[in-house]
């Protein structure tokens, strides 16, 4: 069994529960779901879905960079939304952050998310080690 390494960066919000921002296992980085929290203030961004999505992706990128990769290394993302009517707007922002080849992705509508957020995104990255 290979060892796990936790990743923690001040460039992304601190975990709000008993979990790691991300875990390296083998050649993969498993990033926990990121909310649209400003890492400097620790508060949920009070903004529209587009700006919230941008904050989520900046947070994911900060976690990835702390592990030595970036969003370009994402192989799988899962987008959680409390309203799938936001999908089109989030998809447009997603395209700003993820280029070709695009990671595999799922988008799921959920009843609720932590802190009353309307978006959360988790990702798996390849580290190429």
């Amino acid at each position: 069994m290979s060892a796990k390494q936790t990743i923690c960066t001040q460039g992304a919000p601190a975990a709000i529960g008993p979990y790691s921002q991300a875990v390296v296992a083998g050649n993969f980085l498993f990033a926990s779901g990121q909310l649209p929290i400003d890492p400097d203030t620790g508060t949920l961004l009070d903004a529209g879905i587009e700006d919230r999505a941008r904050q989520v992706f900046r947070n994911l990128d900060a976690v990835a960079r702390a592990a030595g990769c970036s969003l370009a290394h994402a192989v799988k993302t899962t987008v959680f939304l409390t309203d799938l009517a936001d999908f089109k707007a989030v998809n447009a922002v997603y395209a700003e952050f993820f280029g070709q080849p695009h990671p595999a992705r799922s988008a799921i509508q959920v009843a609720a998310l932590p802190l009353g957020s309307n978006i959360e995104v988790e990702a798996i990255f390849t580290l190429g080690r």
Side-chain angles (χ1 to χ4, degrees):
M1 176 175 235
S2 64
K4 297 186 303 184
Q5 174 191 355
T6 60
I7 300 297
C8 183
T9 177
Q10 292 182 353
I16 59 171
Y19 60 89
S20 300
Q21 286 176 325
V23 173
V24 173
N27 290 331
F28 292 97
L29 173 70
F30 298 86
S32 293
Q34 288 294 313
L35 299 171
I37 295 174
D38 180 331
D40 294 329
T41 65
T43 60
L44 195 66
L45 199 64
D46 184 16
I49 190 65
E50 292 92 350
D51 288 336
R52 282 185 163 198
R54 285 183 186 96
Q55 185 64 57
V56 165
F57 297 131
R58 285 191 297 266
N59 292 346
L60 272 176
D61 191 47
V63 171
R65 289 183 185 281
C69 62
S70 70
L71 293 181
H73 296 91
V75 294
K76 172 68 168 85
T77 62
T78 306
V79 178
F80 301 95
L81 298 167
T82 58
D83 187 347
L84 275 179
D86 290 332
F87 179 76
K88 184 176 180 180
V90 171
N91 204 42
V93 174
Y94 188 95
E96 295 173 16
F97 287 85
F98 295 95
Q100 293 282 355
H102 295 110
R105 180 183 71 186
S106 301
I108 303 164
Q109 180 171 315
V110 295
L113 290 166
L115 304 179
S117 180
N118 55 350
I119 183 171
E120 180 175 5
V121 180
E122 65 182 20
I124 301 170
F125 301 86
T126 184
L127 296 174
R129 295 181 178 172

